[in-house]
Amino acid sequence: MDSKVIKKGIIVGFALFSTFFGAGNLIFPPGIGAASGTQWVAGALGLFCSGILLPVIAVIAVNNSGGDVKNILNPVTPWFYNFFYLIMVLILATTSTMPKLAATTHEMGVRALTDKVPMPVTILIFFLIIFFISKDASSVVDKIGKYLTPVLLVALLIIVAAAVITPIGAPVPTGIEKPFVGALITGYNTGDLTLGLMCASLFFNALRDGEIKKSQINAGIYITALVAIIGLTIIYVGLLYLGATGNEYVTTDMSMATMLIILVEQLLGKIGSGVLAIIVILACITTGVGIATIGAEFVEEFTKGRIKYTTWLIVVCILGGCLGILGVNRIVGYASFMFAVIYPICIVLTFLGLIKKFLPNDGPFKGGVLMAFLFSLMETLVNAGLNISIFKIILSKMPLAEYGFSWLVPSIVGMIIGAFIIKTKVPDVIE
């Protein structure tokens, strides 16, 4: 294989890794490890499936569908692509994720290094960095992959290596009954599956920049995916093992952020606090750059150039800054409701994207997404405390409902019925 393909695949793979690895990804693994105890391997497998494998598969699914996420979203209905991205960009990203990343940068990053920097200053600097890295979309992946990710990886490996070589304790039984399932569901909360679908084109474009031949693009994509999987697995398992060995110092009723801080300080002392602060800051920046870039590209496309790429970046930075000052705990939590409804839909779309070339028509997309939406919406409303008897009765009859997967079997049934009822097939967007 051409050395240029390998080099480019590794650089883009680093960028994919760091785009997926946000601050939330940092706090979930230790929490899963602490809850799993001696069953930490089962917890690691659950996290691997939902937090690593599924998001990377989403990128491959987009590639298998012609390299454009429109080919996965358009078969649902012609307006679904715009609807999906408007929700992701305008609601989840701009008014929730970006402000949270900025606030987290201050609360878990800068504050750990010094208490002399006011929060507004941190947030201003955070969004200035986001703007200047993102303003040239064509160079974003190279900037992340060549410069930011290596520093992030080194800092993460310091903690992981210390956790494995000089563990702070030994895993103990915690009485957890379903460590795999618990970790699997917790892994959904990283949000990386939606990010994989949204940002796939960003990494494809980086591989199509002319440095490697068109015929070698697919090889580059699979190298990219492999690099991201290996990197995420090493870091996640190491952090999860740190949590599993720290039972003496933390309790499962602690917030995951507090748990992480205590574990790292116990492992590396005050130096650990500094290393962790650097990780948090870099993780927030790399994820923020990916989200801001893909969001600005969509808005320019959606408005047919009336709102320019740079203009939307400025809007994101200003709005994110205004909301970020509120702090993590005060940033509105409606995104979690939207996320709980959208994630099952994204899982269905990812699966169908992988097998799209073998499907006879668009029926599986229409039926599968419709059922995933209806049942995930019912489940979310019930979990939110709404006492809707008919929803509870329907959900109680569904297989796997006790594991939070009441939508799975209905979605499969919807795919099958849709394949028989619908005869049309939307042409693919040609890249």
Side-chain angles (χ1 to χ4, degrees), residues 36 67 91 102-103 129 206 220 251 260 325 371 384 397 407:
S36 302
I91 299 177
I129 293 171
T251 59
L260 175 65
I325 291 175
M371 298 307 288
K397 304 296 182 183
W407 55 270

Side-chain angles (χ1 to χ4, degrees), residues 58-75 81 85 196-198 200-202 204-205 208 221 301 353 356 427-431:
V59 176
I60 296 173
V62 175
N63 178 58
N64 286 1
S65 301
D68 194 318
V69 73
K70 288 180 182 177
N71 294 332
I72 293 179
L73 301 178
N74 283 347
Y81 168 76
Y85 266 75
L197 289 172
M198 283 182 65
S201 61
L202 187 65
F204 297 156
N205 291 338
R208 298 185 187 119
I221 289 170
E301 176 193 348
K356 185 175 187 296
D428 283 347
V429 174
I430 299 175
E431 279 285 305

Side-chain angles (χ1 to χ4, degrees), residues 61-397:
V62 175
N63 178 58
N64 286 1
S65 301
D68 194 318
V69 73
K70 288 180 182 177
N71 294 332
I72 293 179
L73 301 178
N74 283 347
V76 179
T77 187
W79 49 262
F80 190 72
Y81 168 76
N82 287 335
F83 174 74
F84 179 86
Y85 266 75
L86 282 171
I87 289 176
M88 299 303 298
V89 170
L90 297 181
I91 299 177
L92 292 179
T94 305
T95 64
S96 178
T97 303
M98 293 299 288
K100 284 181 183 176
L101 289 172
T104 301
T105 297
H106 179 78
E107 293 177 15
M108 286 187 65
V110 173
R111 187 182 289 170
L113 297 174
T114 176
D115 58 1
K116 295 181 180 179
V117 178
M119 189 174 192
V121 173
T122 297
I123 290 176
L124 174 63
I125 294 173
F126 175 85
F127 280 109
L128 284 174
I129 293 171
I130 294 294
F131 178 80
F132 283 111
I133 295 178
S134 305
K135 67 177 182 177
D136 180 7
S138 63
S139 65
V140 163
V141 171
D142 272 358
K143 288 174 183 175
I144 295 175
K146 285 182 179 178
Y147 308 113
L148 295 179
T149 305
V151 179
L152 175 62
L153 265 175
V154 169
L156 284 166
L157 287 172
I158 290 172
I159 292 177
V160 169
V164 174
I165 296 171
T166 58
I168 57 178
V172 299
T174 61
I176 190 171
E177 294 183 0
K178 300 169 184 174
F180 175 84
V181 174
L184 188 76
I185 295 174
T186 301
Y188 292 157
N189 293 326
T190 63
D192 286 343
L193 176 58
T194 55
L195 199 58
L197 289 172
M198 283 182 65
C199 296
S201 61
L202 187 65
F203 305 102
F204 297 156
N205 291 338
L207 289 167
R208 298 185 187 119
D209 64 359
E211 290 186 24
I212 60 178
K213 298 177 182 177
K214 188 174 181 180
S215 60
Q216 297 175 318
I217 296 294
N218 275 347
I221 289 170
Y222 286 109
I223 292 172
T224 294
L226 183 62
V227 169
I229 288 173
I230 292 172
L232 289 169
T233 300
I234 291 172
I235 301 305
Y236 279 6
V237 173
L239 291 172
L240 191 144
Y241 183 71
L242 172 62
T245 59
N247 188 268
E248 182 181 347
Y249 308 100
V250 298
T251 59
T252 54
D253 60 350
M254 288 180 176
S255 72
M256 289 187 177
T258 300
M259 188 182 297
L260 175 65
I261 292 169
I262 291 173
L263 289 171
V264 172
E265 284 190 354
Q266 189 62 40
L267 182 69
L268 295 172
K270 291 299 180 183
I271 294 177
S273 299
V275 173
L276 182 59
I278 292 170
I279 291 171
V280 169
I281 293 169
L282 289 174
C284 289
I285 289 174
T286 52
T287 299
V289 166
I291 292 173
T293 300
I294 204 68
E297 287 181 337
F298 167 74
V299 169
E300 184 174 47
E301 176 193 348
F302 179 73
T303 62
K304 295 180 171 57
R306 287 189 287 270
I307 299 178
K308 299 298 183 184
Y309 175 91
T310 304
T311 302
W312 185 253
L313 272 184
I314 294 171
V315 171
V316 168
C317 291
I318 293 174
L319 185 57
C322 292
L323 293 174
I325 291 175
L326 298 175
V328 173
N329 291 333
R330 293 181 60 194
I331 292 174
V332 284
Y334 63 82
S336 60
F337 171 83
M338 300 290 295
F339 179 74
V341 176
I342 287 174
Y343 216 78
I345 295 173
C346 292
I347 294 174
V348 170
L349 289 170
T350 297
F351 169 73
L352 291 173
L354 284 175
I355 63 172
K356 185 175 187 296
K357 62 182 68 174
F358 304 109
L359 298 176
N361 52 54
D362 294 336
F365 283 90
K366 296 179 186 298
V369 167
L370 175 61
M371 298 307 288
F373 169 73
L374 291 176
F375 278 85
S376 62
L377 179 61
M378 284 192 288
E379 192 168 67
T380 301
L381 291 173
V382 170
N383 290 339
L386 294 181
N387 189 22
I388 305 175
S389 300
I390 186 64
F391 288 179
K392 290 183 177 180
I393 293 171
I394 293 173
L395 293 173
S396 67
K397 304 296 182 183

